[in-house]
Amino acid sequence: MNVVFDEDFAKVWSDGYSPCIFATMYHIPSLTRFKEMSEAYLKLVKKISSEYREVYGISNLSESQPISIEALYLYYNNYLPKQFQNGLFYKAYVKPKNLFSQFSLEEVLKGLDPQKVGVFNTFEEALQAVNKRRSEKNTRFYGETVL
């Protein structure tokens, strides 16, 4: 496992054998710390994209406290586009349980391509969506599904 960020409010890592990045967020203490986490995620996207054709992400926000709309817009206007420019192919989010956070996340994401970003109720649903995208991508490249 390759952990690139591990603080009391969030963790970002890869499993070391697939083109997937995992993140769990509990809360955001400040925009400065949020930027540090986002930069670590972006560096990992760049590293994994140099090893694989594409990168997939799962961000678990299920236990997250409310995230400010400013932090969400910073992320989705600055960091998420950079992730896609550097090799991210698909990103799945696990919905926060907090209704305000759910609404904020859905508001920010509604303008994005659903072929690139999805929001799910559970980690299992998010992982299933990522695996489906990976198999579809492999089918297009190789002519058969790689399991």
Side-chain angles (χ1 to χ4, degrees), residues 1 7 9 39 49 55 59 69-70 82 97 128 131:
M1 180 158 46
E7 298 290 334
F9 67 94
E39 288 292 335
S49 70
V55 180
S59 290
I69 199 74
E70 294 84 10
K82 288 178 185 176
K97 291 177 185 170
Q128 187 176 30
N131 286 334

Side-chain angles (χ1 to χ4, degrees), residues 31-139:
L31 281 180
T32 301
R33 300 295 286 152
F34 183 67
K35 288 177 183 179
E36 289 174 17
M37 182 208 59
S38 299
E39 288 292 335
Y41 194 104
L42 182 58
K43 284 181 184 178
L44 191 54
V45 168
K46 290 175 181 179
K47 179 180 185 264
I48 292 176
S49 70
S50 72
E51 299 171 24
Y52 296 91
R53 287 185 185 212
E54 69 283 322
V55 180
Y56 300 83
I58 299 177
S59 290
N60 186 352
L61 306 175
S62 64
E63 300 300 321
S64 177
Q65 298 298 314
I67 299 169
S68 73
I69 199 74
E70 294 84 10
L72 284 172
Y73 276 110
L74 171 70
Y75 185 76
Y76 296 106
N77 288 326
N78 294 308
Y79 289 104
L80 190 59
K82 288 178 185 176
Q83 291 171 13
F84 281 110
Q85 291 166 1
N86 285 283
L88 186 66
F89 181 75
Y90 182 77
K91 183 120 180 205
Y93 292 91
V94 180
K95 282 183 188 178
K97 291 177 185 170
N98 177 282
L99 292 177
F100 176 76
S101 295
Q102 280 182 26
F103 174 76
S104 298
L105 178 66
E106 290 168 357
E107 251 326 278
V108 170
L109 293 178
K110 73 180 179 183
L112 297 176
D113 182 354
Q115 294 298 314
K116 291 185 172 190
V117 177
V119 180
F120 303 91
N121 292 318
T122 66
F123 178 83
E124 290 75 19
E125 289 174 3
L127 183 60
Q128 187 176 30
V130 165
N131 286 334
K132 182 179 181 204
R133 292 276 190 249
R134 287 183 66 198
S135 68
E136 289 170 354
K137 184 82 169 166
N138 288 334
T139 299

